[in-house]
Amino acid sequence: MAAQRGSRVKVLAIVLAGGEGKRLMPLTADRAKPAVPFAGIYRLIDFALSNVVNSGFLKVVVLTQYKSHSLDAHITKTWRMSTLLGNYVASVPAQQRVGKHWFAGSADAIYQSLNLVHDERPDIVVVVGADHVYRMDFSQMVQQHLDSGVGCTVAAIRQPIRLADQFGVIEVDADEPRRISKFREKPTDPAGLPDSPDEVLASMGNYVFTADALEDAVRSDATAEESKHDMGGDIVPAFVAANDAWVYDFKNNEVPGATDRDRGYWRDVGTIDSYYDAHMDLISVHPIFNLYNEAWPIYTNYGPHPPAKFVHGSGDRIGHAVNSAVSPGCVISGSTVSDSVLSPRVTVHSFSHVTRSVLLDRVQIGRSCQIHRAIIDKGVFVPAGVHIGVDHDHDRARGFKVTDTGIVVVGKGSVISS
């Protein structure tokens, strides 16, 4: 191992942001999954980038591919580091450096981008996904990796064993519970943990590699015809087979400012239901995920918008919001918003009621509307008197997506009839 405790370790962070996000349709019809707005003023990628930067890793590459324009624009406008100190967040698209093909998977994305690793010459490469909501101090994971001397460390979160078939599951050595003995994709016969038989370790999609070991692994994978060229499906199992992989248990991660309620929070927002549920986690009096932790901020740029405004206050025409997150530029005009998240520049006109909903940027709700358990994408105008989320058959007839749990999604560019 080239870098040890006490020496100056060079770290390069790679954020994998090329995901198509099919299960989040229609929110991903016009944007990459990491660019999907979240919690009013953020994009999903802001959480991964904030965690990396707050961990002290200030040389960051973002690998993009699918419908990346809004993602690239957000990174360019928001994530500017000190060039004097050589720090950066660089958005890098697929460049076809090794052949006339796009990224075939997350491992292939790194293989095709090895020039970036060669340019930086790091000791350690931190590889993270761009579409999870959580706080994590990666420096603690890097330190465990350095101490272990292995080539690969995988971050994992404890989940009930009954949910094992939803995750990539890590099984550990009974004698050394940090050493990975098996990496299994969505097993139906999982083995519980030695110290907690009712739990399994689920991969979080975050990894730490010794730089040379990562390069060797992706080069070898690139020539394997049977490989899907996936970090979790191919690269990690190769390290496990070589007895060269440890697990980092997320429960041991200590983030400054964390509360007992939100410590260890992690959510994969890969489906409409999980995306919606993650929003609902934000808005209770004591939120399950606390955006107000000033010791570990989530950075973003939401534009030069004025303060939110609440107008009219007589009779049944009172503009107010309760148990809600209301972003800058919003106008709540003689209407009621409850248990909802409003992105910038949303307007809700008089006598309307918005409950348990997520409204993205510049949504306009006309007068006397009822919006319930809905996600409405950017720029949609809802005419006066329209009900959404009240009659699901009617919602489907208008072309809206309705999930099995009853969440209604109105896509960007939708023209809504009564």
Side-chain angles (χ1 to χ4, degrees):
M1 182 77 200
Q4 299 292 340
R5 180 189 291 271
S7 63
R8 186 172 183 178
V9 179
K10 292 184 65 176
V11 177
L12 174 68
I14 297 178
V15 180
L16 300 172
E20 185 174 353
K22 292 181 180 179
R23 296 181 299 162
L24 270 178
M25 290 288 285
L27 300 180
T28 49
D30 196 46
R31 57 171 77 92
K33 183 179 176 183
V36 171
F38 184 81
I41 61 175
Y42 306 98
R43 304 280 185 136
L44 286 177
I45 197 171
D46 290 328
F47 293 84
L49 289 174
S50 295
N51 285 326
V52 168
V53 169
N54 285 331
S55 299
F57 306 142
L58 305 180
K59 299 177 187 297
V60 187
V61 172
V62 182
L63 301 184
T64 67
Q65 180 161 267
Y66 173 83
K67 294 185 179 179
S68 62
H69 172 69
S70 63
L71 179 61
D72 292 334
H74 176 72
I75 293 171
T76 299
K77 294 175 182 177
T78 304
W79 289 93
R80 297 187 177 185
M81 310 286 274
S82 172
T83 56
L84 178 67
L85 301 178
N87 303 324
Y88 57 86
V89 175
S91 178
V92 181
Q95 301 178 75
Q96 298 189 349
R97 281 181 170 267
V98 297
K100 296 298 182 181
H101 60 274
W102 304 113
F103 296 152
S106 52
D108 185 52
I110 293 177
Y111 170 66
Q112 291 199 43
S113 306
L114 282 175
N115 64 297
L116 305 171
V117 179
H118 296 158
D119 289 346
E120 198 56 54
R121 293 184 294 176
D123 303 301
I124 297 295
V125 180
V126 176
V127 179
V128 305
D131 46 21
H132 298 146
V133 176
Y134 65 109
R135 280 189 174 91
M136 182 175 179
D137 183 353
F138 284 106
S139 69
Q140 297 168 32
M141 183 178 174
V142 168
Q143 189 59 61
Q144 179 189 293
H145 180 86
L146 292 169
D147 293 342
S148 72
V150 297
C152 168
T153 301
V154 183
I157 186 168
R158 294 183 176 224
Q159 295 288 318
I161 195 170
R162 59 182 172 79
L163 300 179
D165 61 356
Q166 300 179 25
F167 299 101
V169 171
I170 294 166
E171 296 183 5
V172 296
D173 189 307
D175 296 326
E176 173 45 84
R178 290 175 296 182
R179 187 176 297 280
I180 302 175
S181 60
K182 292 181 182 178
F183 189 92
R184 306 174 63 196
E185 191 66 30
K186 299 180 179 179
T188 57
D189 58 341
L193 294 172
D195 64 346
S196 181
D198 294 330
E199 291 183 312
V200 294
L201 285 169
S203 173
M204 299 170 67
N206 298 330
Y207 315 99
V208 174
F209 296 96
T210 304
D212 292 344
L214 174 61
E215 179 169 350
D216 290 345
V218 296
R219 285 191 182 278
S220 176
D221 177 76
T223 61
E225 293 183 0
E226 73 283 0
S227 175
K228 294 182 179 179
H229 310 297
D230 181 70
M231 292 300 295
D234 299 291
I235 300 299
V236 171
F239 277 98
V240 173
N243 200 30
D244 197 25
W246 275 30
V247 64
Y248 178 78
D249 193 338
F250 185 50
K251 77 177 181 65
N252 298 323
N253 198 254
E254 293 293 334
V255 173
T259 65
D260 290 339
R261 185 163 172 80
D262 78 341
R263 183 174 287 108
Y265 181 94
W266 176 84
R267 191 182 282 275
D268 180 352
V269 289
T271 67
I272 290 295
D273 285 325
S274 62
Y275 176 82
Y276 176 86
D277 291 342
H279 277 91
M280 296 302 105
D281 289 344
L282 303 174
I283 54 178
S284 62
V285 175
H286 301 291
I288 301 173
F289 184 72
N290 179 24
L291 290 172
Y292 301 89
N293 180 355
E294 295 182 2
W296 196 272
I298 307 300
Y299 297 102
T300 195
N301 175 18
Y302 50 81
H305 305 309
K309 184 168 66 172
F310 302 79
V311 296
H312 300 304
S314 61
D316 58 352
R317 193 185 184 196
I318 299 175
H320 70 284
V322 63
N323 295 335
S324 297
V326 180
S327 300
C330 289
V331 178
I332 312 301
S333 175
S335 53
T336 299
V337 175
S338 65
D339 303 291
S340 297
V341 178
L342 275 55
S343 293
R345 299 182 290 179
V346 168
T347 299
V348 185
H349 288 282
S350 293
F351 312 113
S352 288
H353 294 268
V354 176
T355 58
R356 300 191 65 79
S357 293
V358 180
L359 309 185
L360 302 189
D361 190 66
R362 290 191 294 106
V363 166
Q364 299 281 321
I365 307 296
R367 284 191 168 205
S368 303
C369 293
Q370 298 283 339
I371 312 297
H372 179 63
R373 298 190 77 219
I375 301 169
I376 303 181
D377 206 344
K378 181 178 179 179
V380 171
F381 172 68
V382 180
V386 166
H387 291 186
I388 296 174
V390 178
D391 182 342
H392 289 162
D393 289 336
H394 187 39
D395 292 329
R396 292 187 186 95
R398 289 180 289 184
F400 304 156
K401 178 175 181 175
V402 182
T403 71
D404 291 342
T405 61
I407 308 302
V408 181
V409 188
V410 181
K412 184 178 179 182
S414 295
V415 177
I416 300 176
S417 63
S418 57

